[in-house]
Amino acid sequence: MKADLTAIRNIGIMAHIDAGKTTTTERILFYTGKVHRIGEVDKGTATMDWMTQEQERGITITSAATTCAWRDAVINIIDTPGHVDFTVEVERSLGILDGAIAIFCAVAGVQPQSETVWRQADRYGVPRIAYINKMDRIGADYFRAVNMIRTGLGSEPVMLHLPIGVEDLFSGVIDLVSLKAYIYEEESGEHYLIKELTAEQMEEALPYRQQLLEKIAEFDDYILEKYLDGKEISVEEIQKSLRSLTIQNKIVPVLCGSSFKNKGVQMLLDAVVDYLPSPQDIPPVKGIDPKSGQEVSREATVAAPFCALAFKVAVDPYVGKLTYFRVYSGRVKAGSTLINSGKNRRERITKLLKMHANHREEIQEALAGEIVAAVGLKETVTGDTLCSEPDTIVLETIQFPDPVVDVAIEAKTKADQDKIGESLRRLAEEDPTFRTRFDDETGQTIISGMGELHLEIIVDRLLKEFKVNANVGKPQVSYKETVKKPGKAEARFEKQTGGRGQFAHVILEIAPRPEGQGVRFIDKSNREHIPREFIPAIESGVLEGLQAGILAGYPVDDVEVTLKGGSFHEVDSSEQAFKVAAVMALKESLQSAEPVLLEPIMDIEIVSPEEYVGDIISDLNARRGRVIGFEENRHSKIIKGEVPLAETFGYATALRSASQGRASFSMQIKNYAEVPASKTREIMARRYGIPLQDM
């Protein structure tokens, strides 16, 4: 299925967990003829939730890609997860998409994770349309949800729909562009009636249509002129203006429906084709020429040199390692040899595949604007650029957050130990936010991820998919260490062993940096005191030493380490000696710089019936949390607060019992904050296996 570039739509579907992303995608696939029956999330039959873990939990864990056709357009869709633990899946999808559908629940409106994905889309400048789903649910309020998009997300929502009826009376929508009513009378939603508005509907719709025209006239001089002159503005002119303003990210068209009840999805598809950009509507992709270091760009045309960005790696049990990539320019054939420009390595594509969730269709060629998967790429990982010689380019890579939760894992047998290593390596290839390390003190493998659920899924896959027998510990917080004031130290490393000795002398200064600035090494030494060839070894020693702080062995972050000076010996100095001296000086400088432990603090939002709010707040306070504010919902109260991640393990169970199962919560990481002194002693005692009274 090859299409003209102007007829391609590369879109993502993004939202808070349980807003209806996968359900909406299932309807899209059904109405576009891609599947012949509608899959349901709660029955574990959703096409896009193909992983066992997704079907068991009824949530999306991994981004799934598919392609379908609507009218004359080819739509490449990526259904992304809504759970905060899998934010990286949204991040890497948004990096390669041209447009997005943001789905909101008509009852809850803008929720914490919808804010997160919205900010991610803002960062990548992705044009989007908003779809207010679940209009059939009790408590649905379309106008409140639209207002929350305006106030909570700071965007310009423009209503294109009005609901006909609400809750169990929801039967269709009024289209404010064409001033027609779309009525659904049958359950499958395949057929609907397009009717003229009744006098009552027209009276309701006209003020909102006026608002629509006024809003686009604010940005569009042509529409403004016709509007002020009182001239008729045609449907085509409104659509053209809406498309232009959506692509420029000046407005967000808003539609409504009920995907579960099969109402409104066809209009959503029409809006994707009418208002979201094709690859040719977005600016040429920019990158760096690795040879010259100059900025270069690539037009979205088949005639331009080939360039693509790998955005996802998956291990397929049948074909092995699959690398998903977005083709920005040019064309590529199966069997081609390409350059991974960031690593300067050649890679050969043995097969090209068009993906439909976990089903695949082999193709011979991929063109600009397409999203495909390749078999045969050995070294390419998420964020790598693939291009043709000699026109190399390195596109901007994708940034990933650090993991915040650790779990210890131990193999039951020697054979399992080998299997664990290989399995974890393959899982880390797939997921850039999943890290592993070996703890020499305990002899355990430590796996780190974005949250309890993230690691639960990883462990589940290890045991079921990779058939590894292992003992798994309880989740632990991934703390960090930093310093509160500058410190200075020097270290001499001298060793005589009969023959040639070892000598190195290093003077280091350490100072705190603002949160999120990371680690920086600066060389201010005199080359007469320390020859240049030893500087990389000193830097390597410093960076290695920062991997384990002096309080509890956690990585040290947000510090600046400056090499001030030192001395060397003509014969006895070596790179290894300077590396050892750097580690010694670093540990000593940390002692003098008031080291502290940092812990992740989570933004938490709890939705609960009013009668349980008092108990929930008491419990939150007992967990070292604090309430920041309240919001009234139609039938419940929304408590907004912050709480240390360490206090949230098992919170779902505690909240269920405190509210008889009627409250729900969502969390996302806010920042790192200093751990109180009493808690620091507890953590150190636990880490080193020392009784607390001896600390």
Side-chain angles (χ1 to χ4, degrees):
M1 184 167 36
K2 298 292 177 195
D4 167 32
L5 266 176
T6 57
I8 292 177
R9 301 288 180 272
N10 291 318
I11 64 161
I13 299 188
M14 57 186 210
H16 186 89
I17 192 166
D18 209 26
K21 294 178 302 304
T22 303
T23 301
T24 303
T25 310
E26 289 298 319
R27 271 54 182 179
I28 288 173
L29 295 178
F30 179 68
Y31 296 130
T32 57
K34 192 74 186 180
V35 297
H36 301 296
R37 65 181 181 84
I38 296 175
E40 299 295 359
V41 176
D42 51 1
K43 293 177 186 168
T45 58
T47 310
M48 302 300 272
D49 284 351
W50 56 270
M51 286 173 68
T52 310
Q53 291 80 3
E54 293 177 314
Q55 292 166 358
E56 286 172 354
R57 292 166 177 80
I59 61 167
T60 302
I61 291 165
T62 182
S63 304
T66 190
T67 301
C68 57
W70 184 252
R71 290 175 17 199
D72 296 326
V74 170
I75 305 174
N76 296 315
I77 302 172
I78 293 184
D79 173 27
T80 62
H83 196 284
V84 65
D85 284 13
F86 307 105
T87 299
V88 63
E89 289 285 339
V90 186
E91 185 83 27
R92 58 183 173 185
S93 301
L94 284 172
I96 55 96
L97 293 171
D98 301 329
I101 300 171
I103 300 183
F104 300 91
C105 169
V107 182
V110 173
Q111 294 167 279
Q113 190 61 9
S114 21
E115 282 185 40
T116 303
V117 294
W118 197 269
R119 302 278 172 258
Q120 286 172 310
D122 280 345
R123 196 160 62 246
Y124 289 105
V126 178
R128 66 218 86 145
I129 52 181
Y131 174 63
I132 313 293
N133 189 24
K134 303 193 178 186
M135 286 303 304
D136 60 303
R137 293 274 293 272
I138 292 170
D141 189 334
Y142 176 62
F143 300 102
R144 174 177 170 271
V146 174
N147 194 46
M148 285 176 84
I149 294 171
R150 181 178 292 108
T151 55
L153 302 177
S155 292
E156 279 289 356
V158 174
M159 289 190 288
L160 307 190
H161 283 176
L162 289 181
I164 298 173
V166 75
E167 298 178 352
D168 56 351
L169 297 176
F170 177 67
S171 60
V173 299
I174 295 170
D175 180 9
L176 293 173
V177 176
S178 63
L179 284 178
K180 295 276 196 299
Y182 289 72
I183 309 290
Y184 287 83
E185 291 184 332
E186 54 154 30
E187 204 173 303
S188 76
E190 277 185 270
H191 305 290
Y192 50 88
L193 301 173
I194 302 175
K195 295 183 172 180
E196 296 298 324
L197 300 186
T198 63
E200 192 180 326
Q201 287 172 335
M202 188 65 86
E203 191 181 337
E204 182 192 2
L206 283 176
Y208 290 106
R209 192 173 201 263
Q210 200 79 354
Q211 281 180 24
L212 166 65
L213 293 173
E214 284 170 8
K215 183 52 70 180
I216 59 178
E218 272 182 41
F219 302 104
D220 189 322
D221 292 343
Y222 175 75
I223 298 286
L224 177 64
E225 203 175 306
K226 289 193 84 168
Y227 181 73
L228 292 176
D229 291 346
K231 291 179 182 171
E232 183 67 30
I233 302 168
S234 70
V235 169
E236 290 73 23
E237 286 171 330
I238 295 173
Q239 287 179 330
K240 187 181 174 187
S241 182
L242 283 168
R243 178 178 180 78
S244 170
L245 296 175
T246 305
I247 291 169
Q248 293 173 61
N249 263 320
K250 289 185 174 170
I251 61 161
V252 178
V254 184
L255 299 87
C256 66
S258 166
S259 297
F260 186 64
K261 292 291 176 69
N262 311 315
K263 295 179 173 74
V265 177
Q266 292 94 332
M267 274 118 268
L268 180 61
L269 279 164
D270 285 338
V272 166
V273 176
D274 290 338
Y275 307 125
L276 288 180
S278 75
Q280 289 200 326
D281 292 318
I282 58 170
V285 68
K286 288 185 169 58
I288 301 294
D289 180 340
K291 296 191 208 83
S292 67
Q294 300 294 310
E295 186 176 86
V296 286
S297 62
R298 292 281 186 272
E299 294 280 345
T301 66
V302 176
F306 174 76
C307 131
L309 185 72
F311 68 94
K312 180 179 168 70
V313 174
V315 178
D316 186 288
Y318 301 104
V319 298
K321 183 176 163 184
L322 275 179
T323 308
Y324 288 74
F325 60 85
R326 156 76 190 266
V327 184
Y328 281 102
S329 62
R331 64 199 324 152
V332 66
K333 285 185 161 66
S336 304
T337 298
L338 302 169
I339 289 284
N340 179 330
S341 52
K343 294 178 174 161
N344 196 23
R345 293 291 178 90
R346 280 188 169 76
E347 292 269 45
R348 186 170 179 272
I349 292 177
T350 53
K351 280 184 186 173
L352 278 173
L353 304 169
K354 202 81 168 159
M355 297 303 292
H356 174 48
N358 63 331
H359 304 293
R360 55 207 155 269
E361 168 198 339
E362 199 166 331
I363 55 173
Q364 293 309 308
E365 186 179 45
L367 308 178
E370 294 190 319
I371 294 173
V372 295
V375 180
L377 302 179
K378 291 185 170 59
E379 295 189 44
T380 301
V381 296
T382 300
D384 283 357
T385 305
L386 295 166
C387 52
S388 54
E389 287 189 287
D391 307 288
T392 50
I393 182 173
V394 179
L395 302 176
E396 187 181 349
T397 189
I398 304 163
Q399 299 300 316
F400 299 112
D402 290 328
V404 292
V405 177
D406 295 343
V407 161
I409 189 162
E410 277 179 319
K412 289 186 178 174
T413 67
K414 177 72 179 76
D416 284 317
Q417 182 62 52
D418 299 336
K419 208 193 268 189
I420 276 186
E422 175 59 20
S423 305
L424 291 176
R425 187 188 62 74
R426 288 170 68 182
L427 287 167
E429 264 185 0
E430 286 188 29
D431 184 350
T433 57
F434 170 63
R435 315 260 170 91
T436 68
R437 70 177 193 277
F438 189 74
D439 190 323
D440 293 319
E441 287 179 28
T442 63
Q444 294 173 315
T445 298
I446 308 295
I447 59 175
S448 308
M450 299 307 296
E452 271 187 284
L453 180 63
H454 186 199
L455 289 181
E456 186 188 309
I457 300 296
I458 295 275
V459 168
D460 202 35
R461 288 188 65 192
L462 267 181
L463 305 179
K464 289 181 183 170
E465 200 176 308
F466 293 94
K467 308 284 191 291
V468 171
N469 289 312
N471 296 315
V472 181
K474 287 185 177 170
Q476 304 285 337
V477 175
S478 187
Y479 293 97
K480 288 182 183 179
E481 297 184 24
T482 193
V483 297
K484 292 181 77 173
K485 66 176 190 181
K488 188 174 181 178
E490 62 181 296
R492 282 175 191 274
F493 177 61
E494 292 182 83
K495 204 171 182 185
Q496 285 304 131
T497 52
R500 181 180 164 183
Q502 296 277 4
F503 178 84
H505 172 217
V506 172
I507 302 168
L508 291 180
E509 269 186 8
I510 192 165
R513 295 185 79 196
E515 189 192 337
Q517 297 285 303
V519 169
R520 184 163 69 176
F521 175 80
I522 300 170
D523 173 25
K524 286 191 178 174
S525 65
N526 186 321
R527 65 182 57 208
E528 290 172 15
H529 297 152
I530 301 179
R532 298 299 89 188
E533 66 262 27
F534 296 130
I535 303 302
I538 295 170
E539 183 175 358
S540 172
V542 165
L543 297 178
E544 205 174 282
L546 290 172
Q547 292 305 305
I550 58 169
L551 287 177
Y554 289 105
V556 181
D557 201 9
D558 297 331
V559 293
E560 183 173 278
V561 180
T562 307
L563 174 62
K564 300 295 284 185
S567 59
F568 77 109
H569 188 279
E570 290 282 0
V571 179
D572 291 349
S573 286
S574 67
E575 288 187 359
Q576 188 57 36
F578 271 104
K579 188 173 178 181
V580 172
V583 174
M584 290 164 60
L586 176 75
K587 298 295 182 190
E588 209 173 305
S589 66
L590 283 169
Q591 293 277 13
S592 64
E594 210 175 307
V596 290
L597 266 186
L598 298 174
E599 63 180 343
I601 303 294
M602 310 301 284
D603 264 333
I604 189 166
E605 185 173 286
I606 305 159
V607 180
S608 167
E610 184 127 19
E611 59 263 39
Y612 306 113
V613 167
D615 290 345
I616 288 168
I617 291 171
S618 300
D619 180 58
L620 201 61
N621 291 336
R623 293 172 184 270
R624 296 193 288 130
R626 69 186 187 96
V627 175
I628 292 169
F630 296 94
E631 273 183 27
E632 293 288 338
N633 202 339
R634 215 156 153 190
H635 301 284
S636 53
K637 254 212 158 87
I638 300 169
I639 306 158
K640 296 195 173 194
E642 54 185 45
V643 62
L645 175 65
E647 308 293 341
T648 64
F649 294 134
Y651 185 61
T653 309
L655 186 65
R656 272 199 298 272
S657 61
S659 64
Q660 296 178 11
R662 292 173 63 195
S664 63
F665 78 103
S666 56
M667 289 191 307
Q668 60 193 50
I669 187 160
K670 181 183 183 185
N671 60 357
Y672 274 79
E674 189 179 332
V675 178
S678 59
K679 202 77 187 164
T680 298
R681 284 198 303 277
E682 266 181 52
I683 293 163
M684 289 170 68
R686 192 165 63 239
R687 184 82 167 170
Y688 296 120
I690 300 167
L692 187 58
Q693 59 268 29
D694 295 345
M695 288 299 295

